[in-house]
């Protein structure tokens, strides 16, 4: 009885917050532009021309890992939908760029869980954050509307990446040279591909949006359950490149550092940023690194209740960003 009461109180609090939300800006883009923004902070050891020649020399196979997600307004269901779309678009473009085969999806996820690169979040949350655990239980078992489920899911995500107590509990295998080599060997691949994604939020009032500082959240489709499978990884372990962790620069992930600006008399708002890293599976060297950011231009704004919804434009925005990431290889 106490458990159910705690759930209901938490959900009533979420609903109250939603009802009291300040007005933000809804945006309707006329068109997009895609640019190569601030570099991702991890340089490549090969020139693009040398890497292209390497791909062309013989058939190449790659393993595509799930992206580290720095989006502040996230939720399990939205995350899985967006990452399915992102990975499908990347696989299509990478094959057009010369890769014979790109392995991704459930086999890769299962391997990362088995190796301890990503850990199941539910047992850790039950111990360190019972209220968040109860909210996730309500998504699985409750009879809430899709809108309410998204709001609850966003709260779960923001709690997950902000709970300081989880930092010492997420003991993951790092994606160091040995880890990258092991993944490549398990799938018989020449390269391991990974990256970062940020879907930016905007509104009339800019706030200190939460973003991962110690823990990365991952969500994967689970046919046996109503809610996605929830995983976590240590940011410093998952974002390991070369000799140590390569934490992304704040300007590349924090929404408050990417506020709308004016360019040639037009309003410009960042929608999605992607960073792509291709590593040699044998050595762990980053042989290709590229960034792309899709921005919405010529916006008109209307005040409405709630935040802006960049996820409404995700499919178009990410398609343009993916093209920019892979275009140098074509």
């Amino acid at each position: 009885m106490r458990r159910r009461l705690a759930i209901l109180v938490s959900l009533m609090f979420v609903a109250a917050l939603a009802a009291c939300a300040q007005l933000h800006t809804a945006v309707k883009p006329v068109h997009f532009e895609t640019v190569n923004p601030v570099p991702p902070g991890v340089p490549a050891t090969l020139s693009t021309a040398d890497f292209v020649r390497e791909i062309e020399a013989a058939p190449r196979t790659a393993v595509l890992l799930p992206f580290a997600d720095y989006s502040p307004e996230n939720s399990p269901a939205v995350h899985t939908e967006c990452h399915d779309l992102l990975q499908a678009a990347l696989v299509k473009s990478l094959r057009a760029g010369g890769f014979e085969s790109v392995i991704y999806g459930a086999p890769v996820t299962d391997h990362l869980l088995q190796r301890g690169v990503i850990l199941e979040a539910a047992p850790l949350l039950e111990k360190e954050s019972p209220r968040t655990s109860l909210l996730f239980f309500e998504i699985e078992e409750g009879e809430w509307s899709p809108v309410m489920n998204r709001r609850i899911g966003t709260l779960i995500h923001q709690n997950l990446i902000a709970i300081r107590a989880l930092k010492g509990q997420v003991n993951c295998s790092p994606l160091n040279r040995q880890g990258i080599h092991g993944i490549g060997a398990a799938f018989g691949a020449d390269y391991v591909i990974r990256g970062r994604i940020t879907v930016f939020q905007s509104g009339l009032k800019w706030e200190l949006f939460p973003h991962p500082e110690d823990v990365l959240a991952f969500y994967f489709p689970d046919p046996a359950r109503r809610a996605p499978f929830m995983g976590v990884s240590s940011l410093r372990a998952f974002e390991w490149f070369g000799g140590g962790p390569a934490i992304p620069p704040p300007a590349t992930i924090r929404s408050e550092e990417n506020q709308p600006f004016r360019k040639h008399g037009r309003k410009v708002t960042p929608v999605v940023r992607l960073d792509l890293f291709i590593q040699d599976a044998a050595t762990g060297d980053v042989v290709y690194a590229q960034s792309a950011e899709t921005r919405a231009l010529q916006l008109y704004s209307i005040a409405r209740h709630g935040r802006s919804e960049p996820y409404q434009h995700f499919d178009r925005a990410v398609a343009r960003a993916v093209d920019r990431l892979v275009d140098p290889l074509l």
Side-chain angles (χ1 to χ4, degrees):
M1 184 66 182
R2 288 184 178 180
R3 177 187 177 104
R4 187 69 181 178
L5 181 60
I7 294 172
L8 292 175
V9 169
S10 297
L11 292 175
M12 288 172 65
F13 179 69
V14 174
L17 286 179
C20 296
Q22 295 186 7
L23 289 178
H24 289 263
T25 301
V27 296
K28 183 175 181 180
V30 174
H31 68 276
F32 295 101
E33 73 169 8
T34 304
V35 299
N36 296 112
V38 177
V42 181
T45 59
L46 293 180
S47 68
T48 300
D50 287 341
F51 179 56
V52 169
R53 282 192 287 270
E54 192 174 280
I55 297 175
E56 292 174 343
R60 302 288 178 169
T61 298
V63 179
L64 177 59
L65 306 189
F67 272 36
D69 197 330
Y70 289 90
S71 308
E73 294 281 327
N74 209 341
S75 69
V78 170
H79 177 101
T80 55
E81 293 171 5
C82 290
H83 276 252
D84 284 349
L85 191 153
L86 169 62
Q87 291 210 316
L90 271 171
V91 169
K92 181 179 179 180
S93 293
L94 289 166
R95 286 173 178 165
F99 287 89
E100 181 182 49
S101 174
V102 181
I103 304 162
Y104 71 108
V108 178
T109 299
D110 291 344
H111 181 75
L112 295 178
L113 289 166
Q114 291 169 9
R115 291 182 63 92
V117 175
I118 297 175
L119 306 179
E120 183 177 1
L124 299 177
L125 279 179
E126 190 170 357
K127 176 183 177 183
E128 299 295 340
S129 183
R131 290 185 179 180
T132 305
S133 182
L134 288 172
L135 288 174
F136 192 71
F137 171 83
E138 197 64 21
I139 285 184
E140 289 185 299
E141 304 295 335
E143 298 294 335
W144 302 98
S145 69
V147 172
M148 193 63 181
N149 271 340
R150 284 196 298 272
R151 288 175 176 167
I152 299 169
T154 298
L155 191 62
I156 290 169
H157 174 75
Q158 293 179 348
N159 286 352
L160 189 59
I161 63 178
I163 298 171
R164 294 290 183 181
L166 279 181
K167 180 179 180 180
Q169 303 296 321
V170 185
N171 299 312
C172 300
S173 300
L175 288 177
N176 53 18
R177 293 180 185 274
Q178 183 179 0
I180 293 297
H181 177 72
I183 293 171
F187 292 96
D190 304 292
Y191 300 104
V192 174
I193 302 174
R194 51 183 168 139
R196 302 167 180 152
I197 178 174
T198 300
V199 180
F200 297 106
Q201 301 288 324
S202 63
L204 292 175
K205 179 182 174 68
W206 287 86
E207 304 170 16
L208 291 176
F209 294 111
H211 66 281
E213 294 181 339
D214 299 311
V215 176
L216 289 167
F218 296 88
Y219 309 99
F220 307 108
D222 187 344
R225 300 163 58 182
R226 290 177 54 185
F229 177 89
M230 184 165 52
V232 291
S233 183
S234 163
L235 185 148
R236 298 180 69 84
F238 199 85
E239 293 280 49
W240 189 291
F241 291 91
I247 306 303
T252 71
I253 60 173
R254 297 183 62 139
S255 294
E256 63 268 26
E257 298 294 337
N258 289 272
Q259 298 188 26
F261 61 94
R262 302 196 74 82
K263 174 183 177 183
H264 307 306
R266 297 176 296 179
K267 187 177 179 182
V268 181
T269 304
V271 177
V272 63
R273 176 190 168 111
L274 301 176
D275 297 325
L276 183 73
F277 308 99
I278 301 180
Q279 294 178 260
D280 186 303
T283 65
D285 291 340
V286 175
V287 293
Y288 181 80
Q290 185 63 273
S291 299
E293 183 176 292
T294 299
R295 302 166 175 172
L297 293 110
Q298 291 186 346
L299 310 180
Y300 66 82
S301 302
I302 55 173
R304 71 172 179 85
H305 203 68
R307 301 182 188 277
S308 64
E309 293 289 347
Y311 287 104
Q312 292 179 356
H313 316 298
F314 181 85
D315 53 348
R316 290 181 292 162
V318 81
R320 288 163 172 77
V322 166
D323 286 345
R324 180 60 66 95
L325 286 179
V326 183
D327 185 64
L329 305 180
L330 301 177

